[in-house]
Amino acid sequence: MTKTFTVPSSSRQQVLDITDEVKEIVQNGGIGSGVCMVSVPHATCAIYLNENEEGLVHDVLTLVNGLSRRDNWYHDRIDQNAAAHLGAIIVGNSVMLPVEGSNLVLGTWQRVMLTELDGPRHRRINVTITGQ
Ligand code: ZN
């Protein structure tokens, strides 16, 4: 089963905590035990699992920008967003989590974080659950 929801970003780069939206889908998904994949069908945003702490969120963007920003990417000849594509490749476009008791199994500090790299835009998030 795959359910989709949409999240609006409000700036060029932004990290948004989407854990509660994913949890709600998993809790209503009718699957007690299994696996949940959260993915984005986009080329310039990404998803990771980690702590939602303001300083860390800032550090994530600094790290991604440090790795992806450059003046002469070939893709910039088309639409000037090569760094956003490359940042999305580095961070990745999905995360996978166990489901137990119709709930996401997350560590104490783990949250599902959507990483906007070429906003503001509306982003679709797919939540796929499999199990029994
Ligand atoms: Zn592009």
Side-chain angles (χ1 to χ4, degrees), residues 54-111:
E54 194 182 349
L56 184 63
V57 162
H58 187 83
D59 293 340
V60 166
L61 292 176
T62 301
L63 175 67
V64 170
N65 289 332
L67 291 169
S68 64
R69 284 199 175 162
R70 206 169 84 178
D71 291 335
N72 57 346
W73 293 122
Y74 286 112
H75 183 73
D76 284 336
R77 293 180 297 191
I78 300 170
D79 64 359
Q80 283 295 323
N81 68 352
H85 287 275
L86 295 166
I89 291 168
I90 291 166
V91 176
N93 85 320
S94 68
V95 296
M96 199 99 115
L97 282 161
V99 174
E100 285 299 336
S102 295
N103 266 305
L104 281 182
V105 180
L106 284 164
T108 306
W109 302 109
Q110 276 185 320
R111 305 289 293 178

Side-chain angles (χ1 to χ4, degrees), residues 18-29 102-104:
I18 57 168
T19 311
D20 292 342
E21 289 93 330
V22 176
K23 270 186 179 172
E24 194 182 324
I25 289 171
V26 171
Q27 283 162 0
N28 297 319
S102 295
N103 266 305
L104 281 182

Side-chain angles (χ1 to χ4, degrees), residues 7-26:
V7 170
S9 59
S10 57
S11 57
R12 175 81 193 222
Q13 292 195 323
Q14 190 176 16
V15 179
L16 295 158
D17 189 333
I18 57 168
T19 311
D20 292 342
E21 289 93 330
V22 176
K23 270 186 179 172
E24 194 182 324
I25 289 171
V26 171

